[in-house]
Amino acid sequence: MTNPSLIQKYNVPAPRYTSYPTVPHWNNDINPSTWANLFTKAYKDFGNEEGISLYIHLPYCESLCTYCGCNKRITKNHNVELPYISAVMKEWDMYLKLLDGKPKLAGIHLGGGTPTFFSPSTLYVLINHITQSSIKMDDFEFSFEGHPNNTTKAHLEALSGLGFDRVSYGIQDFDSKVQLAINRHQPFEKVKYITEESRKLGYSSINFDLIYGLPHQTLETLKDTFEKTKELMPERIAFYSYAHLPSVFPAQKSFEKHLPNETDKRKLYEQGKKWLKEMGYEEIGMDHFALEGDPLLKAKSNRTLHRNFMGYTTSPSKILLGLGCSAISDAHYAYSQNEKTIAAYLKKIREFEFPTIKGHVQKESDLSLKPFIMSLICNHTAPWKQENMIPDPLVTFLNEGLITFKNNKLNITEEGKPFVRNICMALDPYMQQSEKSAPVFSKAI
C-alpha cells in the first residue's frame, strides 16, 4: 500500500501529460495556414521514416452513458453516418494535397463516441479510402473502440479485412446496479460473446476499460467485475479513475450522492491493482496493465515506450493526425484541435478549410523539455547531467524517497511511481506559473 500521508499530500489536480505543454497552457497562437505549414514541415522531417498515426473521432452514440466525459452526440438517426464520414474523408484529402505522393501510415485508431455506431459498410468506405491513398508501414497498428452492445460480427469482419487486429471494449463495471446508475446496461454474456468472436477472427489484442469510483461501487461489487474479467482475460486492461465534473457534464449529477468517498475510492484502486497482479497483469504506467509478452510491456522494459493523445504506444511517430470534430493533432512543431461541435466542423470542411479552433506552436524550450517529461511519464527515468544541481521543487521528493539521482539520470523510485505526475508538475514551468485547474485535469493519483 502507498504511504497514506503521501497520498493525502499529493492528491491534487494534475495533468495526464499526453502532451507537453498540456492543453490548458496552449498559447493558441495558431491558425489553419500556420498549422498546415508546420504539419508539412513535420512530415518532410519525420514522415518518411516514422509515418503518420491517425486518430479518427466518431462522435455518435445511441444512448447517453451518464458518467462519460467524451465529446459525443446522442442520436438514433443513422442518416448522420455518411455526411460525417464524407467530411472526415475530405479532411484527410486536404492533408494529402499538402504532400508529395502518398504518405506513409503508421497506424489508425477509431475513437468516440461509439465508432461501432457506424455500420460496417460505412466504416469500410472510410478506412478503404484512407488506406488506398497511403502506404501502410510494415509494422502498422490498426485499432478501434467498440461498444459490446452494438459491435457485431460484421463489424469485426469488415475491420479485420482492412488490417485491424486490436479492439478496446468499454466495460466500466459488470455490476447491474452500477450499470443502471451510469445508464450502460451490457450483460456479461454480450461481452463474452463479442470477446470470443474477436479472438476467432484473429484479433491479437483485446483491451477492457474498467473504471473505479463509480456510483454504488464497493470492494464486493468490484471483485465480481474482476472475476468476470478474469474469465475472459483480455490482453490489456485500462483501470481508470472516474472523474466527477458535473458542472461540465450535468448528467453526472444524477448519481453523485451514491459515489464512494475519497478513502473508499482509493481502496478500490489499491485492491484492483492487487487483483490485477494476481491475475498476471503487469503495470505499464498510469492506469494501464497488460499480460506478459505484450508489446507495451516490452517497450517499457527496453525503455522505448512513447505517449501521445491516445495514451501509451510503441509507435515512435512524431506525427499524430486527428480527423473529425474535436480531434487533436500533434505535428511535433505544433498542436492543433478541431472544431468541437459537429455542425461547426462540417461547416469548415464544406468551405475547404482546416477546422482548427485552437492550438499551440512549440517554442524551443517546449521542444527541449517535452522529451524529458515524456521520458519520466513513460519510463520513470530521464537524463540528468548535473547531479549536484537539484532545483528546489525536487528536493522534497528526494527527501521522501520518491526520486534518486544516479549515473547522470533522474530516476523515479518504486515508491514514487504513483506520484509521477506530481514530479512532472514540479518541473513544468507552465504549472509553476499557474495553479489553475481545468476540466481536462484529473486527480494525480
Side-chain angles (χ1 to χ4, degrees):
M1 296 285 286
T2 307
N3 187 320
S5 64
L6 291 179
I7 291 173
Q8 185 174 4
K9 177 180 180 180
Y10 293 120
N11 191 23
V12 297
R16 301 188 64 80
Y17 287 108
T18 51
S19 70
Y20 181 81
T22 55
V23 176
H25 296 125
W26 286 1
N27 52 32
N28 292 319
D29 58 353
I30 199 165
N31 56 48
S33 176
T34 301
W35 166 248
N37 289 336
L38 291 175
F39 166 79
T40 305
K41 173 177 170 56
Y43 190 82
K44 287 180 179 177
D45 289 347
F46 311 113
N48 281 326
E49 181 178 349
E50 300 175 358
I52 295 174
S53 291
L54 278 183
Y55 170 78
I56 303 175
H57 191 73
L58 302 173
Y60 295 104
C61 301
E62 286 195 343
S63 62
L64 175 65
C65 299
T66 51
Y67 70 90
C68 181
C70 298
N71 183 17
K72 67 275 184 184
R73 170 73 66 82
I74 310 302
T75 182
K76 292 184 182 296
N77 175 19
H78 285 264
N79 290 328
V80 300
E81 290 188 33
L82 284 177
Y84 185 82
I85 290 297
S86 297
V88 172
M89 292 191 294
K90 287 178 182 177
E91 185 184 4
W92 170 246
D93 290 345
M94 290 164 63
Y95 282 102
L96 293 180
K97 290 179 181 178
L98 299 175
L99 306 176
D100 297 326
K102 292 183 177 182
K104 291 184 177 179
L105 192 59
I108 296 175
H109 181 76
L110 306 181
T114 306
T116 46
F117 169 95
F118 291 78
S119 71
S121 59
T122 303
L123 293 175
Y124 180 89
V125 169
L126 169 65
I127 303 303
N128 186 62
H129 177 77
I130 291 171
T131 55
Q132 290 298 312
S133 54
S134 59
I135 301 170
K136 289 187 289 188
M137 300 184 72
D138 292 339
D139 55 352
F140 73 91
E141 285 191 358
F142 288 0
S143 59
F144 74 96
E145 298 168 13
H147 193 312
N149 282 354
N150 64 17
T151 302
T152 64
K153 185 176 180 180
H155 280 110
L156 295 171
E157 289 175 335
L159 292 171
S160 175
L162 291 162
F164 285 75
D165 71 343
R166 296 182 178 273
V167 57
S168 178
Y169 292 119
I171 309 302
Q172 323 317 348
D173 193 284
F174 280 116
D175 184 77
S176 58
K177 191 174 183 179
V178 175
Q179 289 185 359
L180 180 63
I182 64 175
N183 196 37
R184 192 181 178 91
H185 176 65
Q186 49 192 26
F188 173 73
E189 291 71 23
K190 282 195 173 183
V191 177
K192 181 178 180 180
Y193 167 77
I194 203 63
T195 300
E196 291 175 345
E197 286 299 311
S198 300
R199 288 188 168 129
K200 288 177 185 176
L201 289 168
Y203 284 78
S204 62
S205 180
I206 297 169
N207 176 80
F208 280 6
D209 284 349
L210 303 176
I211 296 180
Y212 65 93
L214 291 172
H216 302 294
Q217 264 186 345
T218 65
L219 287 173
E220 290 72 24
T221 65
L222 191 63
K223 182 178 181 181
D224 181 67
T225 289
F226 274 81
E227 287 176 347
K228 287 182 168 65
T229 300
K230 185 177 180 180
E231 184 177 335
L232 302 177
M233 290 299 288
E235 282 70 25
R236 295 178 184 175
I237 290 177
F239 189 40
Y240 292 117
S241 169
Y242 165 69
H244 191 56
L245 298 165
S247 61
V248 182
F249 308 106
Q252 294 181 344
K253 295 177 182 178
S254 64
F255 54 67
E256 60 184 356
K257 65 181 180 180
H258 301 296
L259 292 171
N261 59 39
E262 284 295 325
T263 300
D264 289 340
K265 182 178 179 181
R266 185 67 198 184
K267 289 178 180 177
L268 292 170
Y269 173 67
E270 293 284 1
Q271 186 61 58
K273 281 184 63 175
K274 182 179 179 181
W275 285 328
L276 287 169
K277 185 176 181 179
E278 290 172 354
M279 291 160 60
Y281 291 92
E282 296 180 45
E283 189 170 7
I284 298 166
M286 293 181 294
D287 312 322
H288 289 75
F289 303 80
L291 295 174
E292 184 179 358
D294 188 278
L296 286 178
L297 284 175
K298 292 179 180 178
K300 178 185 176 182
S301 178
N302 59 31
R303 294 184 173 174
T304 58
L305 193 63
H306 299 278
R307 188 164 174 82
N308 57 29
F309 287 109
M310 293 189 294
Y312 292 108
T313 177
T314 58
S315 173
S317 177
K318 294 181 182 65
I319 307 173
L320 172 64
L321 187 60
L323 304 178
C325 72
S326 78
I328 301 179
S329 299
D330 178 355
H332 181 69
Y333 301 113
Y335 297 112
S336 172
Q337 183 171 25
N338 284 350
E339 291 278 1
K340 292 186 177 181
T341 69
I342 296 172
Y345 169 75
L346 294 177
K347 182 176 183 294
K348 287 287 182 69
I349 297 299
R350 284 195 298 268
E351 295 169 352
F352 296 99
E353 292 184 25
F354 284 107
T356 303
I357 189 175
K358 64 188 297 186
H360 178 88
V361 176
Q362 296 281 60
K363 299 181 294 187
E364 285 299 321
S365 57
D366 297 333
L367 291 174
S368 175
L369 190 53
K370 178 180 178 179
F372 184 89
I373 293 286
M374 293 302 172
S375 183
L376 287 180
I377 287 287
C378 293
N379 305 310
H380 299 122
T381 185
W384 192 275
K385 296 181 180 179
Q386 297 173 307
E387 293 185 24
N388 295 324
M389 296 180 63
I390 302 174
D392 289 341
L394 293 184
V395 173
T396 300
F397 295 115
L398 181 64
N399 292 337
E400 291 170 334
L402 305 183
I403 61 173
T404 63
F405 293 92
K406 188 176 181 181
N407 299 327
N408 293 320
K409 290 182 179 180
L410 188 165
N411 302 296
I412 297 176
T413 65
E414 199 64 34
E415 293 79 6
K417 287 180 181 179
F419 310 108
V420 59
R421 283 186 273 171
N422 304 86
I423 296 166
C424 289
M425 285 171 63
L427 293 163
D428 183 347
Y430 291 98
M431 293 301 298
Q432 304 309 310
Q433 294 167 12
S434 171
E435 298 297 328
K436 189 186 300 182
S437 63
V440 295
F441 288 5
S442 60
K443 288 289 187 177
I445 53 170

